[in-house]
Amino acid sequence: MTRRVTIADIAAAAGVSKGAVSYALNGRPGVSEATRAKILAIAAEMGFVPNRAARSLSVSSAQAVGIALRRSARTLGIEPYFMELISGIEATLSAGSFGLTLQIVDTVEEELEVYRRWWAERRVDGVLMCDVGTEDRRLGFVADLGLPAVAVGGPIEGARLPAVWHDDAEPCREILGYLHALGHRRIARVAGFAHLLHTGIRDNAYAETAAGLGLESMETFHSDYTGEQGARITRRLLSSAGRPTAVIYDNDVMAVAGLGVAHELGIDVPGRLSIVAWDDSPLCRLTHPALTSLTRDISAYGSQCAEALLSVIGAEPDADRTFSVQCRPAQLSPRASTGPARA
């Protein structure tokens, strides 16, 4: 009995990986045209016949959605935002009998390879793309793959993928208006990664609002969202001449770290320093004093993102895949960490 020729046989003969053979035989991106032609020629010469059962299985639903994150596992473990986002995503997916595949990556290239492999091997039916950048090549790459995807963030100009997002500009105006009414004229902000889309939107909104209010100073310092960097920047700010009377943090972890530095330096909050955190969480309510923060339902946001992706996965091939869903903006929740500026 003649043994069936396998993808492994073709890969060995062509001197390529089994994944490259799979891309070529199934007409998917991932190999050059020259390599594809070589693989197809070798397959024909060897009399390769696709296994119908395996092929049928490969194109069936994986009943899974993927997320690849360029964040350290340690950061994710203490970041309430991602924990709440994923809980909302998981709740909606499980209700539809879908699983969630989460993978931590170090680089953009590694993330792109994960998407390529997931789709080639049909490990997922679609992906949610977090941490959308101002110039994000992942979006075009995934669209070219044909991999169903939803961007968690926006708005994205000229997008080829759907996006679910919050208005990041209006809350900035609300925060500065509130602090200005309390008499604060020297304000600093400890922001997140400079390359992220939502960071850029906030940068512009804070700068424009500060100019309109005539603030004495409104400085922004970008960081990596960790408590360590939040504390380091805060210590530098509070040890400088003409230190700010209010500091805004782009997440709750950095705000809690900043509050700790103020306590360490003997600076009363809110008597001599007001603190505002973006993204409310139990952390903000358990500190002393409790932190004024921007409140939004992150779990519901995750659920909306998952619902959008499931609709894309179940849509007809010619359906619109560039829709944009705007969620309710965050609302300011004043607490004991903010008060009138002291002259």
Side-chain angles (χ1 to χ4, degrees):
M1 180 177 178
T2 303
R3 185 176 70 86
R4 177 188 290 272
V5 176
T6 67
I7 285 179
D9 297 329
I10 299 172
V16 299
S17 68
K18 290 189 290 183
V21 174
S22 178
Y23 297 149
L25 295 178
N26 291 288
R28 298 178 191 140
V31 294
S32 68
E33 288 308 311
T35 300
R36 188 188 308 277
K38 176 183 176 182
I39 291 170
L40 292 176
I42 291 173
E45 182 180 337
M46 296 178 73
F48 174 73
V49 178
N51 184 318
R52 291 181 179 270
R55 187 174 181 84
S56 173
L57 181 62
S58 72
V59 298
S60 65
S61 173
Q63 291 297 115
V65 162
I67 299 178
L69 288 175
R70 271 177 290 138
R71 298 288 182 96
S72 71
R74 187 178 68 86
T75 298
L76 289 179
I78 61 172
E79 177 61 81
Y81 170 83
F82 275 112
M83 293 302 97
E84 292 183 40
L85 182 74
I86 290 172
S87 71
I89 291 169
E90 176 63 27
T92 295
L93 292 180
S94 61
S97 298
F98 272 73
L100 178 63
T101 299
L102 176 64
Q103 184 156 338
I104 305 299
V105 296
D106 293 323
T107 65
V108 175
E109 288 69 26
E110 192 176 328
E111 184 175 347
L112 297 181
E113 181 55 34
V114 167
Y115 294 142
R116 194 200 315 272
R117 185 177 72 253
W118 278 352
W119 190 229
E121 298 173 0
R122 291 303 190 268
R123 295 191 183 185
V124 299
D125 299 307
V127 295
L128 290 167
M129 305 182 69
C130 299
D131 289 336
V132 177
T134 50
E135 295 181 3
D136 200 325
R137 60 193 179 98
R138 300 176 304 160
L139 305 179
F141 178 87
V142 168
D144 288 340
L145 275 183
L147 171 60
V150 167
V152 182
I156 305 170
E157 186 174 346
R160 296 165 59 196
L161 299 174
V164 182
W165 53 283
H166 289 97
D167 181 354
D168 278 282
E170 181 55 35
C172 300
R173 293 188 281 267
E174 185 179 7
I175 291 172
L176 286 190
Y178 171 67
L179 293 175
H180 183 271
L182 289 173
H184 295 279
R185 300 296 181 266
R186 296 192 309 278
I187 301 172
R189 168 174 163 246
V190 183
F193 294 110
H195 70 276
L196 296 182
L197 177 61
H198 73 261
T199 303
I201 292 172
R202 295 178 192 180
D203 288 350
N204 293 333
Y206 279 120
E208 291 172 3
T209 306
L213 293 172
L215 297 183
E216 181 181 331
S217 65
M218 174 67 222
E219 295 184 283
T220 290
F221 302 86
H222 295 105
S223 73
D224 64 358
Y225 285 116
T226 64
E228 289 83 358
Q229 279 208 15
R232 188 177 304 117
I233 294 170
T234 303
R235 190 171 290 109
R236 187 167 69 243
L237 284 170
L238 299 185
S239 302
S240 64
R243 70 186 185 209
T245 61
V247 181
I248 305 163
Y249 296 86
D250 268 19
N251 77 347
D252 44 3
V253 173
M254 294 193 297
V256 171
L259 177 62
V261 170
H263 289 329
E264 170 193 319
L265 297 177
I267 298 173
D268 182 61
V269 177
R272 303 304 296 267
L273 176 71
S274 286
I275 291 179
V276 179
W278 197 297
D279 282 333
D280 197 1
S281 75
L283 287 178
C284 297
R285 298 185 288 276
L286 292 173
T287 58
H288 181 73
L291 295 175
T292 292
S293 61
L294 282 162
T295 303
R296 54 179 176 166
D297 192 337
I298 302 301
S299 181
Y301 181 41
S303 181
Q304 285 181 283
C305 293
E307 288 173 0
L309 180 56
L310 292 179
S311 73
V312 172
I313 292 171
E316 295 296 326
D318 59 349
D320 177 25
R321 294 172 185 248
T322 58
F323 61 84
S324 181
V325 178
Q326 182 177 358
C327 305
R328 291 182 58 190
Q331 302 295 313
L332 188 66
S333 297
R335 296 195 183 100
S337 69
T338 48
R342 184 177 297 180

